[in-house]
Amino acid sequence: MRRMREAWQTPPLPPLPPTRRQRDPAPERQVDYHWVGSNARHAGTLVHRWLQKIADGDVALDLPRDELLAVSTRWAAGLGVEQNDVPEITRRVADALAAVAGDATGRWLLNGEGAAELRVSGLLEGRRNNVIIDRVRIDAGEHWLIDYKTGTHEGSDLEGFIAQEVDRYRTQLAHYLALYRHLTDAPVRTALYFPLLGRFVEVDVAMAQEEPRPDH
């Protein structure tokens, strides 16, 4: 056993290298599109990331298309997208952002008071739930909980497609509502927003088959 001299002290550690804010972080959230291909999933993830940055005021909604494509290309690389698929994905992302910029509802959605990618946790039916609400838009005292849907629709029955999406996500929005009501006494409403379709659809969560009950 070797003993250190009584006067011995730990040598000072070298300073940490300087850090800088990363301008183009890879998207933190993977959007769930279990019924579509990987390109649509990646495009949806990138669109969500852009909409969050716009709502947070980090970038302008009317960002030049070439700059948007360049940043989206870097983000796609961070997701591990095959190089051959990048042009299709980034084009879809740019089209979605252009559609939002040209839609009065889309501009209202992103430019007003509220929160983006809001994480909310709580108990529902005795189980802990952690959710991320794409957008909370506060307008005239009402709180809108909005989920983005970046899918497209080929065919004539657009209303039927939207009705199916509403039914698909009604219970999820009911969960959002039940958890969010712990945060405010204001009226709360829920909706889906389809950027590529230019549709904003309010969803009546009371029609959910299993309406969740928050635990207090």
Side-chain angles (χ1 to χ4, degrees):
M1 179 181 296
R2 300 180 60 187
R3 297 182 182 276
M4 297 292 183
R5 297 190 304 272
E6 291 185 3
W8 185 86
Q9 294 182 351
T10 304
L13 296 175
L16 294 174
T19 60
R20 62 182 179 87
R21 181 181 178 186
Q22 186 178 1
R23 289 180 58 84
D24 300 320
E28 299 175 355
R29 179 186 180 194
Q30 295 294 323
V31 183
D32 180 20
Y33 293 100
H34 58 274
W35 71 98
V36 297
S38 60
N39 282 2
R41 289 198 303 272
H42 292 319
T45 298
L46 297 185
V47 170
H48 276 70
R49 178 63 178 176
W50 277 115
L51 295 180
Q52 178 187 5
K53 290 176 73 66
I54 294 167
D56 287 342
D58 293 335
V59 297
L61 180 56
D62 57 352
L63 189 72
R65 188 178 179 94
D66 57 348
E67 185 175 345
L68 191 152
L69 289 171
V71 175
S72 295
T73 297
R74 293 196 292 271
W75 286 352
L79 292 176
V81 174
E82 294 289 339
Q83 190 169 1
N84 291 340
D85 295 329
V86 170
E88 175 190 343
I89 291 171
T90 56
R91 176 194 56 78
R92 182 167 180 159
V93 172
D95 289 347
L97 270 292
V100 175
D103 178 24
T105 300
R107 296 193 300 272
W108 165 84
L109 184 61
L110 295 175
N111 292 331
E113 180 185 359
E117 298 290 316
L118 179 67
R119 298 175 182 270
V120 183
S121 300
L123 295 178
L124 292 175
E125 302 291 350
R127 288 187 172 185
R128 183 174 181 82
N129 277 256
N130 303 296
V131 303
I132 302 176
I133 304 173
D134 291 341
R135 177 65 169 150
V136 177
R137 178 65 167 90
I138 302 173
D139 183 56
E142 292 184 322
H143 292 227
W144 286 89
L145 312 183
I146 298 142
D147 207 35
Y148 302 138
K149 297 302 166 193
T150 56
T152 58
H153 175 68
E154 302 294 337
S156 58
D157 190 12
L158 176 60
E159 297 305 321
F161 168 76
I162 291 177
Q164 289 179 351
E165 294 295 276
V166 167
D167 288 339
R168 185 194 302 272
Y169 292 104
R170 195 187 308 275
T171 298
Q172 175 181 310
L173 290 171
H175 290 169
Y176 290 179
L177 178 62
L179 293 172
Y180 188 82
R181 275 180 170 158
H182 290 294
L183 306 180
T184 181
D185 294 328
V188 184
R189 301 164 74 173
T190 61
L192 298 178
Y193 180 58
F194 301 83
L196 286 166
L197 301 178
R199 296 293 298 272
F200 180 92
V201 183
E202 184 173 4
V203 179
D204 181 4
V205 298
M207 297 174 61
Q209 292 181 355
E210 298 180 1
E211 187 173 357
R213 297 178 181 177
D215 294 327
H216 298 281

